[in-house]
Amino acid sequence: MMPAGLATSPAPADSVAGLPTADFFDFESMLNAREQAKLAELRVFLAREVAPFAGEWWNKAEFPAHILPKLAALELSAPAQRGYSNLFAGLVIAEMTRVDTSLATFFLVHHDLFVESLYGFGSEEQKARLLEDAASLRTTGAFALTEPGHGSDVAGGMETVARRVPGGAPDGGDSWVLNGAKRWIGNGTFCDYMLVWARDEADGGVRGFIVDATLPGVSRSRIENKIALRTVQNADIVFKDVQVAESDRFAGINSFEDTNELLRGSRIMVAWQGVGQQLAAFDVARQYAVERRQFGRPLAKFQLVQQQLVTMLGNAVASMGMMVRIAQLQDQGAADMPQVALAKSYVSARMRETVGMGRSLLGGNGIVTDYRMAKIFADAEAIYTYEGSFEINTLIVGRAVTGVSAIV
Ligand SMILES: Cc1cc2nc3c(=O)[nH]c(=O)nc-3n(C[C@H](O)[C@H](O)[C@H](O)COP(=O)(O)OP(=O)(O)OC[C@H]3O[C@@H](n4cnc5c(N)ncnc54)[C@H](O)[C@@H]3O)c2cc1C
Protein backbone atom coordinates (compact mmCIF):
# COMPACT_ATOMS: atom_id res chain seq x y z
CA MET A 1 0.00 0.00 0.00
CA MET A 2 1.21 3.48 -0.80
CA PRO A 3 2.71 4.95 2.37
CA ALA A 4 1.12 7.99 3.92
CA GLY A 5 3.40 10.71 2.64
CA LEU A 6 3.94 9.58 -0.93
CA ALA A 7 6.03 12.72 -0.98
CA THR A 8 8.92 10.57 0.27
CA SER A 9 8.79 8.19 -2.73
CA PRO A 10 11.25 8.30 -5.67
CA ALA A 11 10.72 10.45 -8.77
CA PRO A 12 7.16 10.01 -10.04
CA ALA A 13 8.28 8.79 -13.46
CA ASP A 14 9.77 5.72 -11.78
CA SER A 15 6.92 5.18 -9.39
CA VAL A 16 5.70 1.82 -10.75
CA ALA A 17 8.70 -0.15 -11.93
CA GLY A 18 8.29 -2.08 -15.17
CA LEU A 19 5.20 -0.19 -16.38
CA PRO A 20 5.26 2.48 -19.12
CA THR A 21 5.70 6.09 -18.03
CA ALA A 22 3.04 8.76 -18.53
CA ASP A 23 5.05 10.04 -21.54
CA PHE A 24 3.39 7.16 -23.40
CA PHE A 25 4.37 8.36 -26.88
CA ASP A 26 7.96 9.03 -25.76
CA PHE A 27 8.05 12.69 -26.78
CA GLU A 28 11.14 13.01 -24.61
CA SER A 29 13.10 11.00 -27.19
CA MET A 30 12.79 14.02 -29.52
CA LEU A 31 15.36 15.81 -27.33
CA ASN A 32 19.01 15.55 -28.28
CA ALA A 33 21.47 13.66 -26.08
CA ARG A 34 22.68 16.77 -24.23
CA GLU A 35 19.09 17.77 -23.43
CA GLN A 36 18.15 14.28 -22.27
CA ALA A 37 21.17 14.21 -19.97
CA LYS A 38 20.25 17.60 -18.49
CA LEU A 39 16.65 16.50 -17.96
CA ALA A 40 17.94 13.42 -16.13
CA GLU A 41 20.08 15.72 -13.96
CA LEU A 42 17.02 17.80 -13.18
CA ARG A 43 15.11 14.65 -12.20
CA VAL A 44 17.81 13.66 -9.72
CA PHE A 45 17.69 17.14 -8.17
CA LEU A 46 13.90 17.03 -7.95
CA ALA A 47 13.87 13.54 -6.44
CA ARG A 48 16.46 14.42 -3.79
CA GLU A 49 15.85 18.04 -2.96
CA VAL A 50 12.19 18.63 -3.72
CA ALA A 51 9.95 15.52 -3.75
CA PRO A 52 10.53 14.53 -0.10
CA PHE A 53 9.70 18.01 1.19
CA ALA A 54 7.26 19.59 -1.27
CA GLY A 55 4.15 18.51 0.61
CA GLU A 56 5.37 20.05 3.85
CA TRP A 57 6.36 23.32 2.15
CA TRP A 58 2.88 23.46 0.61
CA ASN A 59 1.07 22.66 3.86
CA LYS A 60 3.05 25.32 5.73
CA ALA A 61 2.96 27.79 2.82
CA GLU A 62 6.75 28.16 3.11
CA PHE A 63 9.02 28.97 0.16
CA PRO A 64 12.22 26.84 0.13
CA ALA A 65 14.74 29.61 -0.56
CA HIS A 66 17.55 27.35 0.64
CA ILE A 67 17.34 25.16 -2.49
CA LEU A 68 17.93 28.04 -4.92
CA PRO A 69 21.74 27.66 -5.14
CA LYS A 70 21.36 23.99 -6.14
CA LEU A 71 18.60 24.87 -8.61
CA ALA A 72 20.79 27.60 -10.10
CA ALA A 73 23.69 25.15 -10.41
CA LEU A 74 21.66 23.20 -12.97
CA GLU A 75 22.04 26.21 -15.30
CA LEU A 76 18.54 26.01 -16.74
CA SER A 77 17.87 29.72 -17.06
CA ALA A 78 17.55 31.30 -20.50
CA PRO A 79 17.54 27.94 -22.34
CA ALA A 80 17.70 29.51 -25.80
CA GLN A 81 20.88 31.39 -24.85
CA ARG A 82 22.38 28.08 -23.75
CA GLY A 83 21.54 26.38 -27.04
CA TYR A 84 18.58 24.34 -25.81
CA SER A 85 15.42 23.78 -27.88
CA ASN A 86 11.97 25.10 -27.03
CA LEU A 87 10.85 21.51 -26.45
CA PHE A 88 13.53 21.12 -23.82
CA ALA A 89 12.46 24.36 -22.10
CA GLY A 90 8.87 23.11 -22.01
CA LEU A 91 9.77 19.66 -20.71
CA VAL A 92 11.83 21.26 -17.92
CA ILE A 93 8.75 23.12 -16.72
CA ALA A 94 6.56 20.01 -17.11
CA GLU A 95 9.03 17.89 -15.15
CA MET A 96 9.34 20.45 -12.35
CA THR A 97 5.57 20.72 -12.21
CA ARG A 98 5.30 16.95 -12.10
CA VAL A 99 7.14 17.03 -8.78
CA ASP A 100 6.08 20.41 -7.40
CA THR A 101 3.90 22.89 -9.28
CA SER A 102 4.83 25.70 -6.89
CA LEU A 103 8.54 25.35 -7.62
CA ALA A 104 7.81 25.42 -11.35
CA THR A 105 5.74 28.58 -10.87
CA PHE A 106 8.56 30.28 -8.96
CA PHE A 107 10.93 29.27 -11.75
CA LEU A 108 8.80 30.52 -14.59
CA VAL A 109 7.90 33.82 -12.90
CA HIS A 110 11.58 34.47 -12.24
CA HIS A 111 13.05 33.11 -15.48
CA ASP A 112 10.31 33.33 -18.11
CA LEU A 113 8.92 36.67 -17.00
CA PHE A 114 11.70 38.54 -15.17
CA VAL A 115 14.93 37.25 -16.77
CA GLU A 116 13.47 36.87 -20.28
CA SER A 117 12.11 40.44 -20.05
CA LEU A 118 15.62 41.65 -19.36
CA TYR A 119 16.89 39.74 -22.37
CA GLY A 120 14.04 40.97 -24.55
CA PHE A 121 13.65 44.59 -23.47
CA GLY A 122 16.62 45.47 -21.27
CA SER A 123 19.22 48.01 -22.36
CA GLU A 124 22.83 46.84 -22.51
CA GLU A 125 23.46 48.73 -19.25
CA GLN A 126 20.47 47.06 -17.53
CA LYS A 127 21.57 43.63 -18.72
CA ALA A 128 25.14 44.19 -17.53
CA ARG A 129 23.89 45.37 -14.15
CA LEU A 130 21.22 42.74 -13.48
CA LEU A 131 21.38 39.64 -15.67
CA GLU A 132 24.27 37.68 -14.20
CA ASP A 133 22.93 37.72 -10.63
CA ALA A 134 19.37 37.05 -11.80
CA ALA A 135 20.29 34.16 -14.09
CA SER A 136 22.18 32.49 -11.24
CA LEU A 137 19.40 33.18 -8.72
CA ARG A 138 21.56 35.36 -6.47
CA THR A 139 18.77 37.87 -6.98
CA THR A 140 15.12 37.05 -7.67
CA GLY A 141 12.51 38.81 -9.72
CA ALA A 142 8.75 39.25 -10.02
CA PHE A 143 6.36 40.45 -12.72
CA ALA A 144 3.77 42.96 -11.52
CA LEU A 145 0.95 43.39 -14.02
CA THR A 146 -2.37 42.39 -12.41
CA GLU A 147 -4.14 44.91 -10.17
CA PRO A 148 -6.79 44.60 -7.45
CA GLY A 149 -9.44 45.98 -9.82
CA HIS A 150 -8.07 44.69 -13.13
CA GLY A 151 -7.14 41.11 -14.05
CA SER A 152 -8.49 40.02 -17.44
CA ASP A 153 -8.97 43.64 -18.49
CA VAL A 154 -5.66 44.98 -17.19
CA ALA A 155 -4.44 45.97 -20.67
CA GLY A 156 -7.15 48.60 -21.05
CA GLY A 157 -7.98 49.20 -17.40
CA MET A 158 -4.56 49.60 -15.78
CA GLU A 159 -4.75 52.18 -12.99
CA THR A 160 -1.13 52.20 -11.82
CA VAL A 161 0.37 55.39 -13.20
CA ALA A 162 3.85 56.72 -13.94
CA ARG A 163 4.68 60.41 -14.13
CA ARG A 164 7.91 61.55 -15.74
CA VAL A 165 9.87 64.15 -13.75
CA PRO A 166 12.38 65.99 -15.97
CA GLY A 167 15.68 66.39 -14.08
CA GLY A 168 14.23 64.45 -11.13
CA ALA A 169 17.12 62.02 -10.69
CA PRO A 170 20.04 62.84 -8.34
CA ASP A 171 22.40 62.96 -11.35
CA GLY A 172 20.19 65.52 -13.08
CA GLY A 173 18.62 62.97 -15.44
CA ASP A 174 14.89 62.29 -15.66
CA SER A 175 13.08 60.11 -13.15
CA TRP A 176 9.56 58.69 -12.80
CA VAL A 177 7.09 58.59 -9.93
CA LEU A 178 4.91 55.47 -9.64
CA ASN A 179 1.57 55.28 -7.86
CA GLY A 180 -0.86 52.38 -7.74
CA ALA A 181 -1.38 48.81 -6.55
CA LYS A 182 -0.70 45.32 -7.89
CA ARG A 183 -2.21 42.01 -6.79
CA TRP A 184 -1.22 38.35 -7.02
CA ILE A 185 2.43 39.07 -7.68
CA GLY A 186 4.33 35.76 -7.51
CA ASN A 187 7.64 35.95 -5.54
CA GLY A 188 6.41 39.41 -4.55
CA THR A 189 7.10 39.11 -0.82
CA PHE A 190 10.81 38.36 -1.11
CA CYS A 191 11.98 39.35 -4.60
CA ASP A 192 14.80 41.83 -5.07
CA TYR A 193 13.35 43.36 -8.23
CA MET A 194 9.98 43.52 -9.89
CA LEU A 195 8.95 44.49 -13.36
CA VAL A 196 6.14 46.95 -12.83
CA TRP A 197 3.74 47.88 -15.59
CA ALA A 198 2.21 51.36 -15.38
CA ARG A 199 0.32 53.81 -17.54
CA ASP A 200 2.19 56.95 -18.54
CA GLU A 201 0.13 59.91 -17.31
CA ALA A 202 1.32 61.93 -20.30
CA ASP A 203 -0.01 59.82 -23.16
CA GLY A 204 -1.77 56.80 -21.61
CA GLY A 205 0.79 54.35 -23.03
CA VAL A 206 1.87 51.36 -20.94
CA ARG A 207 5.49 51.48 -19.73
CA GLY A 208 7.64 48.88 -17.95
CA PHE A 209 9.96 49.66 -15.03
CA ILE A 210 12.53 47.64 -13.13
CA VAL A 211 11.75 48.49 -9.53
CA ASP A 212 14.08 47.71 -6.62
CA ALA A 213 11.67 46.18 -4.10
CA THR A 214 13.34 48.00 -1.20
CA LEU A 215 12.69 51.51 -2.58
CA PRO A 216 10.84 53.94 -0.29
CA GLY A 217 7.09 53.87 -0.99
CA VAL A 218 6.94 50.16 -1.92
CA SER A 219 4.89 48.10 0.55
CA ARG A 220 4.11 44.42 0.09
CA SER A 221 1.95 41.98 2.00
CA ARG A 222 1.54 38.26 1.51
CA ILE A 223 -1.78 36.92 0.23
CA GLU A 224 -2.86 34.42 2.87
CA ASN A 225 -5.19 31.41 2.94
CA LYS A 226 -4.71 30.23 -0.65
CA ILE A 227 -6.00 26.81 -1.67
CA ALA A 228 -3.55 26.49 -4.59
CA LEU A 229 0.21 26.95 -5.07
CA ARG A 230 0.58 27.52 -1.36
CA THR A 231 4.38 27.41 -1.56
CA VAL A 232 4.40 30.35 -3.99
CA GLN A 233 4.51 33.66 -2.17
CA ASN A 234 1.95 35.91 -3.85
CA ALA A 235 1.80 39.52 -2.76
CA ASP A 236 -0.39 42.58 -2.75
CA ILE A 237 1.95 45.47 -3.53
CA VAL A 238 1.30 49.19 -3.13
CA PHE A 239 3.39 51.91 -4.78
CA LYS A 240 3.15 55.31 -3.13
CA ASP A 241 5.21 58.04 -4.80
CA VAL A 242 7.95 55.55 -5.67
CA GLN A 243 10.83 57.28 -7.48
CA VAL A 244 12.39 55.25 -10.27
CA ALA A 245 15.29 56.40 -12.43
CA GLU A 246 14.82 56.71 -16.19
CA SER A 247 17.68 54.20 -16.48
CA ASP A 248 15.35 51.62 -14.87
CA ARG A 249 12.67 51.96 -17.54
CA PHE A 250 12.41 49.51 -20.42
CA ALA A 251 12.97 51.90 -23.29
CA GLY A 252 11.52 49.43 -25.80
CA ILE A 253 8.06 49.21 -24.18
CA ASN A 254 5.63 51.86 -25.35
CA SER A 255 2.31 50.05 -25.34
CA PHE A 256 0.74 46.89 -23.95
CA GLU A 257 1.18 45.20 -27.33
CA ASP A 258 4.95 45.38 -26.81
CA THR A 259 4.59 42.92 -23.93
CA ASN A 260 2.72 40.39 -26.07
CA GLU A 261 5.79 38.53 -27.21
CA LEU A 262 6.84 38.08 -23.62
CA LEU A 263 3.39 36.95 -22.51
CA ARG A 264 3.21 34.53 -25.42
CA GLY A 265 6.38 32.85 -24.17
CA SER A 266 5.28 32.63 -20.54
CA ARG A 267 1.80 31.44 -21.57
CA ILE A 268 3.42 28.53 -23.38
CA MET A 269 5.27 27.64 -20.20
CA VAL A 270 2.06 27.74 -18.16
CA ALA A 271 0.48 25.38 -20.70
CA TRP A 272 3.46 23.07 -20.14
CA GLN A 273 2.59 23.25 -16.44
CA GLY A 274 -0.82 21.87 -17.40
CA VAL A 275 1.02 18.95 -18.99
CA GLY A 276 3.17 18.39 -15.90
CA GLN A 277 0.11 18.42 -13.68
CA GLN A 278 -1.45 15.64 -15.76
CA LEU A 279 1.71 13.55 -15.75
CA ALA A 280 1.80 13.87 -11.96
CA ALA A 281 -1.88 13.01 -11.58
CA PHE A 282 -1.44 9.91 -13.74
CA ASP A 283 1.71 8.85 -11.86
CA VAL A 284 -0.01 9.06 -8.49
CA ALA A 285 -3.37 7.59 -9.56
CA ARG A 286 -1.79 4.66 -11.41
CA GLN A 287 0.40 3.76 -8.44
CA TYR A 288 -2.58 3.98 -6.12
CA ALA A 289 -4.77 1.85 -8.42
CA VAL A 290 -2.11 -0.85 -8.63
CA GLU A 291 -1.48 -0.95 -4.87
CA ARG A 292 -4.82 -0.19 -3.21
CA ARG A 293 -7.09 -3.23 -2.75
CA GLN A 294 -10.88 -3.24 -2.44
CA PHE A 295 -13.23 -6.23 -2.74
CA GLY A 296 -10.14 -8.43 -2.41
CA ARG A 297 -8.39 -7.18 -5.53
CA PRO A 298 -6.40 -4.13 -6.68
CA LEU A 299 -8.44 -1.13 -7.83
CA ALA A 300 -6.60 -1.53 -11.16
CA LYS A 301 -8.57 -4.74 -11.78
CA PHE A 302 -11.84 -2.82 -12.08
CA GLN A 303 -12.76 -1.78 -15.63
CA LEU A 304 -14.09 1.62 -14.59
CA VAL A 305 -10.80 2.37 -12.87
CA GLN A 306 -8.82 1.36 -15.96
CA GLN A 307 -11.06 3.52 -18.12
CA GLN A 308 -10.39 6.56 -15.94
CA LEU A 309 -6.65 5.92 -15.93
CA VAL A 310 -6.64 5.60 -19.71
CA THR A 311 -8.67 8.80 -20.09
CA MET A 312 -6.15 10.58 -17.86
CA LEU A 313 -3.27 9.19 -19.90
CA GLY A 314 -4.95 10.14 -23.19
CA ASN A 315 -5.51 13.68 -21.92
CA ALA A 316 -1.87 13.97 -20.86
CA VAL A 317 -0.54 12.60 -24.15
CA ALA A 318 -2.87 14.76 -26.29
CA SER A 319 -1.83 17.82 -24.29
CA MET A 320 1.83 16.95 -24.71
CA GLY A 321 1.39 16.40 -28.43
CA MET A 322 -0.13 19.85 -28.80
CA MET A 323 2.70 21.41 -26.81
CA VAL A 324 5.35 19.58 -28.85
CA ARG A 325 3.88 21.15 -31.99
CA ILE A 326 3.85 24.57 -30.28
CA ALA A 327 7.56 24.06 -29.49
CA GLN A 328 8.23 23.29 -33.18
CA LEU A 329 6.36 26.45 -34.19
CA GLN A 330 8.43 28.41 -31.66
CA ASP A 331 11.62 27.00 -33.21
CA GLN A 332 10.39 28.41 -36.54
CA GLY A 333 9.46 31.74 -34.88
CA ALA A 334 5.87 31.08 -35.92
CA ALA A 335 3.82 30.36 -32.75
CA ASP A 336 1.18 33.09 -32.83
CA MET A 337 -0.96 34.18 -29.88
CA PRO A 338 -4.21 32.44 -30.98
CA GLN A 339 -2.32 29.13 -31.33
CA VAL A 340 -0.76 29.61 -27.91
CA ALA A 341 -4.14 30.59 -26.45
CA LEU A 342 -5.71 27.41 -27.87
CA ALA A 343 -2.93 25.32 -26.33
CA LYS A 344 -3.35 26.99 -22.95
CA SER A 345 -7.15 26.70 -22.89
CA TYR A 346 -7.23 23.14 -24.26
CA VAL A 347 -4.54 21.85 -21.92
CA SER A 348 -6.19 23.62 -18.95
CA ALA A 349 -9.51 21.94 -19.66
CA ARG A 350 -7.94 18.50 -20.07
CA MET A 351 -5.92 19.12 -16.90
CA ARG A 352 -9.03 19.89 -14.86
CA GLU A 353 -10.68 16.67 -16.05
CA THR A 354 -7.50 14.66 -15.42
CA VAL A 355 -6.87 15.90 -11.89
CA GLY A 356 -10.55 15.51 -11.05
CA MET A 357 -10.45 11.84 -12.06
CA GLY A 358 -7.19 11.38 -10.20
CA ARG A 359 -8.61 12.87 -7.05
CA SER A 360 -11.65 10.62 -7.17
CA LEU A 361 -9.53 7.52 -7.86
CA LEU A 362 -7.83 8.05 -4.51
CA GLY A 363 -11.16 8.13 -2.70
CA GLY A 364 -10.93 9.80 0.69
CA ASN A 365 -7.15 9.78 0.51
CA GLY A 366 -7.52 12.09 -2.48
CA ILE A 367 -8.40 14.97 -0.21
CA VAL A 368 -5.37 14.83 2.10
CA THR A 369 -2.09 16.25 0.88
CA ASP A 370 -0.13 13.28 2.34
CA TYR A 371 -1.03 11.39 -0.83
CA ARG A 372 0.04 14.20 -3.21
CA MET A 373 -3.13 14.11 -5.31
CA ALA A 374 -4.95 16.75 -3.25
CA LYS A 375 -2.09 19.17 -3.84
CA ILE A 376 -2.04 18.43 -7.57
CA PHE A 377 -5.83 18.84 -7.70
CA ALA A 378 -5.78 22.19 -5.88
CA ASP A 379 -2.79 23.59 -7.81
CA ALA A 380 -4.66 23.00 -11.08
CA GLU A 381 -7.05 25.80 -10.17
CA ALA A 382 -4.31 28.43 -10.29
CA ILE A 383 -3.08 27.22 -13.67
CA TYR A 384 -6.65 27.30 -14.99
CA THR A 385 -6.81 31.01 -14.10
CA TYR A 386 -3.41 32.64 -14.50
CA GLU A 387 -1.65 33.70 -17.73
CA GLY A 388 -5.06 34.45 -19.19
CA SER A 389 -7.93 32.48 -17.71
CA PHE A 390 -9.43 29.54 -19.58
CA GLU A 391 -12.25 31.80 -20.75
CA ILE A 392 -10.03 34.65 -21.97
CA ASN A 393 -7.75 32.29 -23.90
CA THR A 394 -10.81 30.60 -25.41
CA LEU A 395 -12.11 33.99 -26.53
CA ILE A 396 -8.75 34.91 -28.08
CA VAL A 397 -9.11 31.82 -30.26
CA GLY A 398 -12.78 32.55 -30.90
CA ARG A 399 -11.84 36.01 -32.12
CA ALA A 400 -9.17 34.58 -34.42
CA VAL A 401 -11.44 32.00 -36.02
CA THR A 402 -14.53 34.20 -36.43
CA GLY A 403 -13.04 37.64 -36.91
CA VAL A 404 -15.38 38.85 -34.16
CA SER A 405 -14.31 39.69 -30.60
CA ALA A 406 -16.55 38.41 -27.80
CA ILE A 407 -14.16 39.61 -25.08
CA VAL A 408 -15.73 43.07 -24.82
C1 LIG B 1 -1.70 31.88 -8.03
C2 LIG B 1 -1.70 33.06 -8.92
C3 LIG B 1 -0.50 33.64 -9.31
C4 LIG B 1 -0.49 34.80 -10.09
N1 LIG B 1 0.71 35.41 -10.39
C5 LIG B 1 0.71 36.61 -11.01
C6 LIG B 1 1.92 37.35 -11.20
O1 LIG B 1 3.01 36.89 -10.82
N2 LIG B 1 1.87 38.56 -11.80
C7 LIG B 1 0.72 39.09 -12.25
O2 LIG B 1 0.74 40.21 -12.78
N3 LIG B 1 -0.47 38.43 -12.09
C8 LIG B 1 -0.49 37.21 -11.48
N4 LIG B 1 -1.68 36.51 -11.31
C9 LIG B 1 -2.93 37.12 -11.75
C10 LIG B 1 -3.62 36.40 -12.88
O3 LIG B 1 -2.97 36.68 -14.09
C11 LIG B 1 -5.10 36.81 -12.85
O4 LIG B 1 -5.68 36.14 -11.75
C12 LIG B 1 -5.83 36.49 -14.14
O5 LIG B 1 -5.41 37.32 -15.18
C13 LIG B 1 -7.36 36.66 -13.96
O6 LIG B 1 -7.65 37.90 -13.41
P1 LIG B 1 -8.61 38.02 -12.12
O7 LIG B 1 -8.16 37.04 -11.11
O8 LIG B 1 -8.64 39.44 -11.74
O9 LIG B 1 -10.04 37.53 -12.61
P2 LIG B 1 -11.14 38.42 -13.43
O10 LIG B 1 -10.50 39.09 -14.59
O11 LIG B 1 -11.89 39.26 -12.46
O12 LIG B 1 -12.07 37.26 -13.96
C14 LIG B 1 -13.00 36.54 -13.13
C15 LIG B 1 -13.71 35.52 -14.02
O13 LIG B 1 -14.42 36.20 -15.06
C16 LIG B 1 -14.02 35.67 -16.33
N5 LIG B 1 -14.01 36.76 -17.32
C17 LIG B 1 -13.41 37.99 -17.23
N6 LIG B 1 -13.62 38.68 -18.35
C18 LIG B 1 -14.36 37.88 -19.18
C19 LIG B 1 -14.87 38.01 -20.50
N7 LIG B 1 -14.66 39.11 -21.23
N8 LIG B 1 -15.60 36.99 -21.00
C20 LIG B 1 -15.78 35.84 -20.30
N9 LIG B 1 -15.31 35.65 -19.06
C21 LIG B 1 -14.60 36.65 -18.52
C22 LIG B 1 -12.61 35.13 -16.10
O14 LIG B 1 -12.28 34.16 -17.07
C23 LIG B 1 -12.76 34.55 -14.71
O15 LIG B 1 -13.37 33.27 -14.80
C24 LIG B 1 -1.70 35.35 -10.55
C25 LIG B 1 -2.91 34.72 -10.19
C26 LIG B 1 -2.92 33.61 -9.40
C27 LIG B 1 -4.24 32.99 -9.01
Side-chain angles (χ1 to χ4, degrees), residues 109 143-146 150-153 183-186 229 234 382 385-389 391-392 395 406-408:
V109 168
F143 187 87
L145 176 64
T146 305
H150 299 284
S152 304
D153 70 351
R183 179 161 170 78
W184 284 118
I185 308 312
L229 296 183
N234 292 96
T385 290
Y386 66 36
E387 265 300 349
S389 65
E391 291 78 13
I392 292 297
L395 294 176
I407 297 175
V408 282

Side-chain angles (χ1 to χ4, degrees), residues 76 114 218 341 357:
L76 292 168
F114 179 69
V218 175
M357 284 181 172

